[in-house]
Amino acid sequence: MLTAFGHQHWWPGDSPFEVLVGAVLTQNTNWTNVEKAITNLKNANALDPFIIRDMPNEQLAALIKPSGYLNLKTKRLKNVIAFLCEKHEGDIENLKNYPVYQLREDLVSINGIGPETADSIILYALEKPTFVIDTYTHRILTRHQLIDPDAQYEDLKEYCQYNLPEDTQLYNECHALLVQIGKNYCKPKPKCENCPLNKYPHQLEELYT
DNA sequence: GACCAGGCACATC
DNA sequence: GATGTGCATGGT
């Protein structure tokens, strides 16, 4: 993957806090839309935990509007930032003092932070080794029959971590590359126009005659 | 106009 | 515990 696509330089962002915000805003959303939302926050001088914490929900929703699910993501951002401000003095660097399992447990307990968002924050904002699983990773690994099709998040994570040395930079690059491959070659509905079965009637009984 | 995008919580069975 | 649904905008 690295030979084909080169280094991905993830996560795009100027600070760990920006990475955290991006991790929430990119939930089920195209990254270009997230960039617009983050630009809005920057232009409003609002990319700061305490400023967002004290901002009215309507104002925050208006700024992050391009990333979609604005009301939902307003609450989710406020939740994770409340955790950061109230328990860690608003300084994301303080989170680095905790072991990965503890961080993950704390993050996942926040409403709006699921396993992928938690892992993204831990890997890309805190630079600690935990493998991030996303839709593309799931799709690629199952379509290549590397893992059971109904494998869950934790199964996929375990598979990846078991088969790779525990290394932050490797996990970083590998996940970013899987996303790159997925975007280009692993669409949700595979194009079937070249399938030889298309030459035959779409009745199962007729395929046998 | 349909489909898709770097999920998650909640309801229901 | 598995499965279905709502959440919303912008690009292709």
Side-chain angles (χ1 to χ4, degrees), chain A residues 40-206:
Chain A
N40 286 348
L41 289 168
K42 283 182 175 173
N43 290 341
N45 286 318
L47 199 55
D48 174 273
F50 295 105
I51 291 175
I52 292 179
R53 182 193 64 179
D54 299 333
M55 185 181 286
N57 283 6
E58 302 75 39
Q59 189 182 348
L60 181 56
L63 291 172
I64 65 169
K65 187 178 175 186
S67 69
Y69 307 109
L70 53 162
N71 298 313
L72 198 58
K73 286 177 179 175
T74 293
K75 289 179 195 162
R76 292 179 178 179
L77 264 184
K78 289 259 185 173
N79 289 344
V80 67
I81 286 169
F83 163 78
L84 190 61
C85 289
E86 288 165 17
K87 298 190 174 171
H88 302 282
E89 301 164 334
D91 189 352
I92 203 162
E93 295 296 321
N94 288 341
L95 295 177
K96 291 185 175 176
N97 298 327
Y98 298 85
V100 169
Y101 76 91
Q102 180 74 55
L103 278 168
R104 198 165 189 270
E105 209 168 276
D106 289 349
L107 287 170
V108 168
S109 72
I110 300 167
N111 189 296
I113 306 298
E116 181 183 342
T117 308
D119 283 333
S120 296
I121 292 169
I122 294 168
L123 180 62
Y124 291 107
L126 304 174
E127 298 178 294
K128 284 172 175 273
T130 195
F131 204 92
V132 180
I133 303 298
D134 69 334
T135 307
Y136 293 126
T137 312
H138 176 90
R139 214 180 279 156
I140 292 167
L141 294 185
T142 54
R143 285 194 191 162
H144 286 271
Q145 300 181 29
L146 293 172
I147 195 164
D148 196 70
D150 55 7
Q152 302 298 300
Y153 189 97
E154 300 303 328
D155 303 320
L156 289 151
K157 184 182 174 71
E158 190 181 330
Y159 173 85
C160 292
Q161 295 196 352
Y162 180 80
N163 285 285
L164 293 169
E166 186 180 76
D167 182 285
T168 299
Q169 192 48 45
L170 178 66
Y171 286 2
N172 175 323
E173 196 74 75
C174 189
H175 173 242
L177 284 162
L178 283 166
V179 171
Q180 185 65 26
I181 300 258
K183 279 181 181 174
N184 288 286
Y185 300 106
C186 207
K187 299 292 181 183
K189 291 184 179 173
K191 294 190 188 305
C192 299
E193 61 265 26
N194 296 325
C195 176
L197 290 178
N198 291 342
K199 296 174 188 171
Y200 299 94
H202 286 83
Q203 293 293 326
L204 190 58
E205 312 84 70
E206 293 182 70

